Amino acid sequence: MEQQIKITKTANSKLKDIDFDNIPLGTTFTDHMFICEYKNGSWNNPRVEPLELIPTHPAAMALHYGQAIFEGMKATVGNENTPLLFRPEENAKRFNHSAARLGMPSVPVDLFVEAVKQIVGVEHNWIPPQDGSALYLRPFMYADEPFIGMRAATSYKFIVICSPAGPFFTKKIRLYAETEYIRAADGGTGEAKAAGNYAAAILPTEKAKAKGYDQVLWLDANEHKYIQEVGTMNIFFKIGGKFITPSTSGSILKGITRDSVISLLKDKGFEVEERPITIDELIGHAKEGKLEEAFGTGTAVAIAMIEAIGYKDEVLTLSNDNPVSQDVKNTLDGIKTQKIEDKFNWILPVSIEEKVG
Ligand SMILES: *Cc1c(COP(=O)(O)O)cnc(C)c1O
């Protein structure tokens, strides 16, 4: 299906005001957005237009009942300044998985990918050229039908906005293993990138920060024992030479970076186990000196090395040396900028010949 996406360009680009060496985190947006509306069972009028405020009815259902989901992706630049996307169909599929869980309509994978390609084609000059920088893309959908009452909305907006991002979290992170609050329970929405999941994580994250940590390490809802994931990252441990990452049991977000890192580690000859792992097992390995490396994976940060994990009254200090994690990070960064061969076929080049229509 070839989507006819109409492009209307701004006469006043803000690009000239941007200092790519100094991009404030999450507050800079590009000139345009992709937008389309769902009504009467179909997506209508897909278009790229100047980014502007969206009038919202005070009864818009997303504001009351939280029918809102999102994705996170990055566009980078490769050889000959070609804009590149990383596994965009995977984001499209996950978006629809999230939509299904929240009773929202799906967006055809072709429309999702075409939307992202078109906005990146228009905004390619906003992709920061610096190493480790990228144009962060935020596709999202929310219920905009004005209605008081509990049912699935009948109208939605699907939008993609873009924000240039410098290298995120280059420092090592400190995690606080949370034993009071939970992120997701079996049967809940943990596997969806649902806005409400992040609302529920704000208070515990603020409390962890007040204790001197960067992020929460989430444990399972039933026993507060099994390690799940971190803020917006999945987690990996290197224990006695092999890697372990929690299996995605239905309450863990299935990270695309997680999936890519599993492939890269296997390709580099490591064994990777996807299985439940408790915080006590981890501490036991650490005490025996077998916990060699630990890192989080996610689109925003790619790979973030973990420096320490706080659990109850203990603080586990991890090795400063993360040779394999660093190597995997370099490989992933290299693939995303075409400095390393893309043998898994993860990269999608974007044409910058904009269709004007
Ligand atoms: C987005 C996200 C991740 C990472 O997913 P990627 O596809 O690798 O970006 C992990 N956990 C949570 C809770 C997330 O929201």
Side-chain angles (χ1 to χ4, degrees):
M1 185 192 358
E2 174 70 13
Q3 294 291 333
Q4 209 43 57
I5 296 178
K6 186 176 151 95
I7 296 175
T8 310
K9 291 185 71 176
T10 179
N12 302 304
S13 172
K14 293 177 278 117
L15 187 58
K16 57 188 181 309
D17 304 330
I18 305 301
D19 171 9
F20 278 143
D21 288 319
N22 210 337
I23 310 170
L25 203 67
T27 56
T28 308
F29 301 96
T30 63
D31 293 322
H32 302 88
M33 62 182 175
F34 169 89
I35 182 165
C36 66
E37 287 92 13
Y38 182 89
K39 228 182 173 116
N40 301 325
S42 67
W43 290 102
N44 304 301
N45 194 14
R47 61 208 186 269
V48 170
E49 59 183 32
L51 185 143
E52 58 185 22
L53 300 184
I54 301 170
T56 305
H57 193 287
M61 290 176 80
L63 300 179
H64 302 263
Y65 310 114
Q67 264 192 312
I69 57 169
F70 66 95
E71 269 303 319
M73 315 167 63
K74 276 182 167 178
T76 45
V77 272
N79 299 332
E80 284 138 29
N81 273 328
T82 309
L84 306 173
L85 290 167
F86 186 76
R87 309 185 73 183
E89 297 87 4
E90 297 301 317
N91 294 94
K93 288 187 223 155
R94 187 171 65 192
F95 195 63
N96 286 332
H97 186 73
S98 301
R101 178 61 186 83
L102 294 221
M104 300 166 82
S106 62
V107 172
V109 169
D110 292 6
L111 173 60
F112 183 102
V113 173
E114 196 56 31
V116 170
K117 281 170 75 176
Q118 291 290 334
I119 189 79
V120 169
V122 170
E123 304 290 44
H124 65 274
N125 287 325
W126 285 85
I127 307 176
Q130 284 77 356
D131 257 359
S133 300
L135 185 62
Y136 185 80
L137 311 175
R138 170 52 60 84
F140 63 105
M141 190 209 303
Y142 65 95
D144 67 351
E145 182 192 357
F147 181 73
I148 303 262
M150 268 299 288
R151 60 156 168 77
T154 58
S155 72
Y156 297 86
K157 282 186 165 55
F158 167 46
I159 299 175
V160 187
I161 54 173
C162 317
S163 176
F168 257 144
F169 278 88
T170 31
K171 73 178 191 79
K172 295 190 176 170
I173 55 171
R174 298 171 59 81
L175 305 180
Y176 179 69
E178 179 57 69
T179 51
E180 182 186 351
Y181 301 104
I182 59 149
R183 191 191 89 89
D186 292 348
T189 57
E191 222 179 55
K193 255 177 138 66
N197 291 347
Y198 305 87
I202 288 172
L203 176 69
T205 306
E206 291 303 325
K207 287 190 168 184
K209 284 183 181 164
K211 293 189 184 99
Y213 295 93
D214 300 296
Q215 294 275 327
V216 171
L217 175 62
W218 295 109
L219 304 178
D220 75 285
N222 297 332
E223 300 174 79
H224 299 300
K225 221 168 81 174
Y226 291 96
I227 294 173
Q228 292 198 318
E229 58 181 311
V230 180
T232 57
M233 286 184 282
N234 298 107
I235 194 163
F236 285 75
F237 304 105
K238 179 163 177 270
I239 297 172
K242 64 185 174 191
F243 282 85
I244 296 170
T245 186
S247 33
T248 54
S249 55
S251 50
I252 294 178
L253 203 284
K254 289 185 180 168
I256 296 162
T257 318
R258 173 187 182 278
D259 183 72
S260 309
V261 164
I262 291 173
S263 299
L264 290 177
L265 286 170
K266 287 183 176 167
D267 188 57
K268 289 175 189 291
F270 289 97
E271 198 181 319
V272 183
E273 284 181 8
E274 296 180 62
R275 65 161 171 89
I277 176 167
T278 64
I279 183 87
D280 291 324
E281 180 188 337
L282 186 76
I283 291 171
H285 293 308
K287 288 190 171 152
E288 287 171 22
K290 290 203 305 201
L291 175 57
E292 292 146 6
E293 303 189 33
F295 59 87
T297 63
T299 296
V301 295
I303 287 174
M305 313 301 173
I306 298 165
E307 179 180 86
I309 298 176
Y311 175 60
K312 295 181 177 162
D313 298 326
E314 284 187 80
V315 180
L316 206 62
T317 306
L318 282 84
S319 163
N320 240 324
D321 210 23
N322 295 276
V324 184
S325 320
Q326 190 59 51
D327 178 49
V328 172
K329 182 172 167 52
N330 294 346
T331 305
L332 200 54
D333 286 349
I335 292 172
K336 289 184 182 179
T337 49
Q338 287 183 322
K339 291 185 183 99
I340 292 177
E341 189 202 341
D342 173 27
K343 67 176 175 186
F344 297 96
N345 247 314
W346 285 336
I347 293 299
L348 180 71
V350 174
S351 151
I352 57 178
E353 299 156 6
E354 297 136 27
K355 285 179 235 149
V356 179

